[in-house]
Amino acid sequence: MLSKSEIKVLAEFLDGPECPDGTFTFQELQGFLFAVACSPELIPPSDWFPIISDDKDIAFNDEEKAQQIMGLIMSLYNVINEAALNRSNSMPLGCKFQADVEDNFDDELPISQWSLGFTIGHDWLAEVW
């Protein structure tokens, strides 16, 4: 499990200046990684990692930062993969449904962002399914 501080570091990095436009938000990343984890074939990180930043280079400030962020992404993937393997029915980190169903379609809400990431991952893996 990632700590709250690790989640904050990763979320802020994904939204920061080092990342190009089109980089997933933290919630989109969770949804995308869930699609990857649920794939009927093992998808190596070297295949899916570039999609996180829309196939554009992330401008890491230094090697230490690159290792930290890549480690956090892999830790998040491992948490999501374990949950998928165990058929966990818990909500993704930071996501909850709104009482009014229509409110869940707001693009700014975590569940909507998670769904977008999942859809991107599902579409990317369509041939595998």
Side-chain angles (χ1 to χ4, degrees), residues 4-91:
K4 288 182 181 181
S5 63
E6 289 173 322
I7 292 169
K8 182 179 179 183
V9 166
L10 181 54
E12 288 177 356
F13 176 82
L14 293 170
D15 193 39
E18 298 94 342
C19 293
D21 290 340
T23 299
F24 290 150
T25 65
F26 178 76
Q27 298 301 342
E28 289 169 342
L29 177 60
Q30 284 193 104
F32 175 77
L33 292 178
F34 183 74
V36 171
C38 292
S39 171
E41 293 181 13
L42 180 63
I43 310 297
S46 58
D47 286 354
W48 55 259
F49 193 84
I51 295 170
I52 293 170
S53 60
D54 199 23
D55 286 323
K56 299 173 190 147
D57 289 335
I58 296 174
F60 291 106
N61 292 336
D62 55 52
E63 188 171 328
E64 184 178 322
K65 186 68 168 183
Q67 288 179 353
Q68 176 193 28
I69 296 302
M70 292 176 80
L72 290 173
I73 291 171
M74 288 308 300
S75 292
L76 181 61
Y77 170 76
N78 290 333
V79 166
I80 291 169
N81 191 47
E82 183 177 330
L85 288 172
N86 292 328
R87 298 178 186 240
S88 172
N89 62 357
S90 63
M91 292 293 291

Side-chain angles (χ1 to χ4, degrees), residues 79-120:
V79 166
I80 291 169
N81 191 47
E82 183 177 330
L85 288 172
N86 292 328
R87 298 178 186 240
S88 172
N89 62 357
S90 63
M91 292 293 291
L93 297 170
C95 290
K96 66 178 185 173
F97 286 107
Q98 302 297 309
D100 184 350
V101 176
E102 289 182 17
D103 290 343
N104 292 297
F105 294 100
D106 182 342
D107 291 342
E108 298 302 314
L109 287 178
I111 196 66
S112 183
Q113 291 179 9
W114 183 94
S115 299
L116 175 61
F118 177 79
T119 300
I120 291 168

